[in-house]
Amino acid sequence: MSGLINSAMSGLNAAQSALMITSLNISNYTVTGYNRQLLLMSQAGSTQSGNAWYGNGVRVDGVQRQYDELISRQLMEASAKNSAANSQFTQISGIDNMLTMDGNDLSDALQQFFKNIQNVVDNAEDPAARQALLSNAKSLAGQIRTFQQYLDNQQASVNNQIKDSVSAINKYTSQIAALNEQIAKLSATGQAPNNLLDQRDQLVSELNNITAVNVSMQDNSMVVSLPNGLTLVNGNQSTEMKAVPSAEDPGRLIPGYTDKLAGDIGLPDKMFTSGSLSGVLAFRREDLDSVQNRLGQLTIAFASQMNIVQHQGYDSNGDPGTDFFTMGQPETYRNSNNTSDTMLDAAFTDSSALKASDYRVSWEQGRWTVTRLSDNQVLTPEVTSADGKTHLNIDGLDITVNGDPAEKDSFLVRPLADAARGFDVAITDGSQIAAAAEPGGASDNRNAQAMLALQDSPIVGGSTLTEAYGSLVSFVGNETSSLEGRCQTGQQVVDQLTQRQQSVSGVNLDEEYSLLTQYQQYYMANTQVLQTAGELFDAIINITN
């Protein structure tokens, strides 16, 4: 009789546990990161009675998470790649939208400028035509600076996004480290705390969407690291990252960390292979810098050639022409890790030979090496000496070396970054337009004709102004379209893997409802067994009495 009661009680306890797990699954149906749980049961040990072995009911062995590590890892990889593509697409689509807005077509503004030059050609002696050209030139300069200001804002936004991403990474890694400690302590009892495992996995998934991470297990603790080596979490310890100024350009923030001995250390972009932070870095490196340099190349070519022609002519007062436009000059940066005090200066020598690129200049093994960053091509500069200083000539630039470099000193030269920012009209009156080829010719328009000829001249790296701007717009449009396609494809992969993951780990309400009914019947059946055992026991007592 006791065996019957014990067996029924074990079934009753198992049914109650099964109902609790099913209820837990149902209540967590909408909880992000929850993995469905399953009650593990097995036969209890048997007892020999006479020549037979009789079972002692059912035993609850534990609660198991429905978790597939392979699918989860594949989903994390796909999600990180999709986050990177979406992040980069969001950034560049802003530039694409700005370029296609009504009134922002720089090509139309340039055509209008040359249309006003044509009016001066037709009416060289008319002050109104000259003043209209001056007014239009100011409008054009304002439009180019507005474009540049938008790009400057994008650069500042990238810095802010890097700071926000680093802050979020630190939040996640510190929480993962804390959960590691809790899970390690609780797992010592032999049963893993499933709710904490779910929380830790969800935190890793969210961290992975910011920056792709590698995950491994060590003594019930999760070790989280960047794909190229830096450990972010090890046991209950986490590495605090920070946004630090780039050694090459202090105006740019990059992800990094603080070493106890070396101080702040910046991490190269290649350490961030996917995730939203990777997308932001790729946007700055591949898209934003390129657009800014293309705009600068167009601006310098236009302003330089206009100034050259302006200097060749004479204004309404018979005076030689002065600069028509001002423009920003090249920027140079000394790497903060250099061991010498050597500085570089740069100046334009041939605006038509300029490339839309920044340059890294290095002193190694007794010679200068220049890398054009737009295509990573290593160039051999023409090295000359003047005024006791070394000059490096490359791509329409003259780079002056001030000082004696040390081995592995490096410098960043950004010839076009400030070009559009400093672009403005230098003359203040229409009479200063040097339309004449000779002094004293009020109706002489020959130099104005030379200005007009610039419209169709290949002055921007072998292209006309209109072609160069069209190339810029095409670059942005193609990159935007390509990234949009990658986002759509990436999302499809994420959706497919999510479905696979949910088929294993997700809660199906129909299935849980069916189990709920099943376990309810299981519970009621065991109570019926107990009731039967009680009635039999009462019958035995009555017979005895």
Side-chain angles (χ1 to χ4, degrees):
M1 188 67 64
S2 62
L4 184 64
I5 294 175
N6 289 337
S7 179
M9 284 300 298
S10 70
L12 197 64
N13 289 333
Q16 185 176 9
S17 297
L19 285 168
M20 289 176 59
I21 294 302
T22 304
S23 173
L24 180 67
N25 288 336
I26 293 173
S27 62
N28 283 277
Y29 172 67
T30 59
V31 175
T32 302
Y34 177 77
N35 290 273
R36 178 175 179 264
Q37 297 185 17
L38 180 68
L39 187 70
L40 301 179
M41 294 182 288
S42 63
Q43 294 184 49
S46 301
T47 301
Q48 186 178 19
S49 178
N51 294 325
W53 289 86
Y54 295 92
N56 290 314
V58 65
R59 181 179 65 206
V60 174
D61 294 324
V63 179
Q64 184 182 68
R65 286 196 312 158
Q66 300 299 95
Y67 179 79
D68 189 307
E69 183 178 354
L70 176 60
I71 295 177
S72 296
R73 184 166 62 248
Q74 291 174 338
L75 179 57
M76 282 179 57
E77 291 175 357
S79 295
K81 290 180 181 178
N82 195 44
S83 292
N86 273 290
S87 176
Q88 190 174 358
F89 169 70
T90 299
Q91 305 293 327
I92 196 170
S93 60
I95 298 178
D96 187 54
N97 292 336
M98 194 273 294
L99 287 173
T100 55
M101 284 178 58
D102 291 340
N104 280 349
D105 192 335
L106 191 57
S107 178
D108 289 345
L110 286 167
Q111 290 178 17
Q112 185 61 40
F113 175 79
F114 285 106
K115 184 177 179 180
N116 278 274
I117 291 181
Q118 180 66 63
N119 289 337
V120 173
V121 170
D122 296 338
N123 305 279
E125 75 286 353
D126 184 1
R130 290 170 172 267
Q131 200 60 36
L133 174 58
L134 178 63
S135 177
N136 182 257
K138 292 179 179 179
S139 176
L140 174 61
Q143 188 169 336
I144 290 178
R145 289 198 306 275
T146 297
F147 190 0
Q148 177 63 47
Q149 183 60 55
Y150 180 85
L151 300 179
D152 288 343
N153 292 341
Q154 290 284 83
Q155 293 282 7
S157 176
V158 168
N159 280 346
N160 289 332
Q161 290 180 69
I162 290 172
K163 288 192 290 187
D164 292 342
S165 295
V166 166
S167 177
I169 289 171
N170 290 336
K171 181 188 72 173
Y172 287 126
T173 55
S174 63
Q175 291 176 343
I176 293 169
L179 283 172
N180 269 346
E181 186 172 21
Q182 295 181 57
I183 291 170
K185 289 179 180 178
L186 295 175
S187 296
T189 63
Q191 289 293 329
N194 290 327
N195 63 320
L196 297 184
L197 293 177
D198 284 348
Q199 291 177 31
R200 186 174 66 181
D201 287 342
Q202 181 60 26
L203 288 173
V204 172
S205 177
E206 293 175 7
L207 169 63
N208 182 74
N209 283 334
I210 299 175
T211 178
V213 292
N214 290 338
V215 176
S216 61
M217 298 302 299
Q218 183 177 352
D219 299 330
N220 293 317
S221 287
M222 187 174 280
V223 179
V224 182
S225 60
L226 294 177
N228 291 311
L230 179 67
T231 300
L232 298 178
V233 180
N234 189 357
N236 62 357
Q237 301 296 317
S238 62
T239 299
E240 183 174 356
M241 295 185 64
K242 64 188 298 186
V244 301
S246 166
E248 286 192 321
D249 181 353
R252 293 186 174 214
L253 294 181
I254 59 174
Y257 66 101
T258 300
D259 183 85
K260 292 181 179 179
L261 297 177
D264 289 348
I265 297 177
L267 300 174
D269 287 5
K270 66 182 180 181
M271 293 195 70
F272 302 91
T273 57
S274 54
S276 59
L277 176 57
S278 169
V280 170
L281 294 172
F283 163 71
R284 179 169 66 182
R285 180 181 65 253
E286 299 171 5
D287 304 324
L288 184 54
D289 285 350
S290 180
V291 172
Q292 189 160 328
N293 283 330
R294 286 168 183 259
L295 178 64
Q297 181 190 30
L298 184 152
T299 301
I300 293 299
F302 173 60
S304 296
Q305 292 300 316
M306 278 294 300
N307 286 348
I308 289 173
V309 176
Q310 172 83 354
H311 278 273
Q312 293 172 353
Y314 296 86
D315 63 18
S316 297
N317 300 317
D319 296 323
T322 57
D323 282 350
F324 199 111
F325 293 107
T326 61
M327 51 190 165
Q329 297 302 307
E331 298 177 343
T332 60
Y333 299 94
R334 170 185 172 274
N335 193 298
S336 61
N337 296 320
N338 289 358
T339 56
S340 77
D341 295 329
T342 302
M343 301 291 290
L344 300 185
D345 289 323
F348 302 117
T349 56
D350 183 358
S351 63
S352 63
L354 294 173
K355 306 294 185 182
S357 180
D358 297 333
Y359 298 83
R360 182 177 295 114
V361 181
S362 305
W363 175 257
E364 296 182 23
Q365 299 180 352
R367 65 187 183 91
W368 289 101
T369 300
V370 179
T371 302
R372 189 164 55 211
L373 299 182
S374 60
D375 55 11
N376 287 320
Q377 184 175 350
V378 178
L379 309 172
T380 301
E382 179 188 355
V383 181
T384 60
S385 181
D387 302 324
K389 296 181 179 180
T390 298
H391 292 258
L392 313 177
N393 296 286
I394 201 82
D395 288 350
L397 292 171
D398 175 44
I399 302 171
T400 304
V401 181
N402 299 298
D404 297 319
E407 178 67 16
K408 294 187 178 181
D409 275 2
S410 68
F411 308 83
L412 179 67
V413 178
R414 306 190 69 205
L416 304 170
D418 194 44
R421 195 178 300 117
F423 182 63
D424 205 348
V425 179
I427 59 177
T428 58
D429 190 272
S431 63
Q432 295 174 294
I433 298 173
E438 296 179 359
S443 60
D444 183 357
N445 63 5
R446 286 177 295 166
N447 206 52
Q449 289 177 341
M451 292 179 183
L452 185 61
L454 294 177
Q455 182 175 17
D456 299 318
S457 299
I459 61 175
V460 190
S463 300
T464 66
L465 291 166
T466 301
E467 290 170 345
Y469 182 71
S471 176
L472 187 159
V473 174
S474 178
F475 167 79
V476 173
N478 290 339
E479 185 73 357
T480 303
S481 178
S482 174
L483 284 166
E484 185 176 19
R486 283 170 53 189
C487 290
Q488 293 172 350
T489 301
Q491 188 59 52
Q492 291 175 357
V493 174
V494 170
D495 290 343
Q496 291 172 0
L497 288 171
T498 299
Q499 291 177 3
R500 288 181 58 191
Q501 189 262 352
Q502 285 298 299
S503 69
V504 174
S505 303
V507 175
N508 184 310
L509 289 180
D510 292 336
E511 181 182 359
E512 298 299 330
Y513 180 74
S514 175
L515 290 173
L516 192 65
T517 304
Q518 177 183 332
Y519 293 143
Q520 182 183 13
Q521 294 174 346
Y522 179 36
Y523 187 93
M524 296 302 295
N526 278 284
T527 60
Q528 187 65 40
V529 173
L530 278 177
Q531 184 179 351
T532 301
E535 291 174 353
L536 291 175
F537 185 77
D538 289 342
I540 292 173
I541 294 298
N542 291 333
I543 292 172
T544 303
N545 291 335

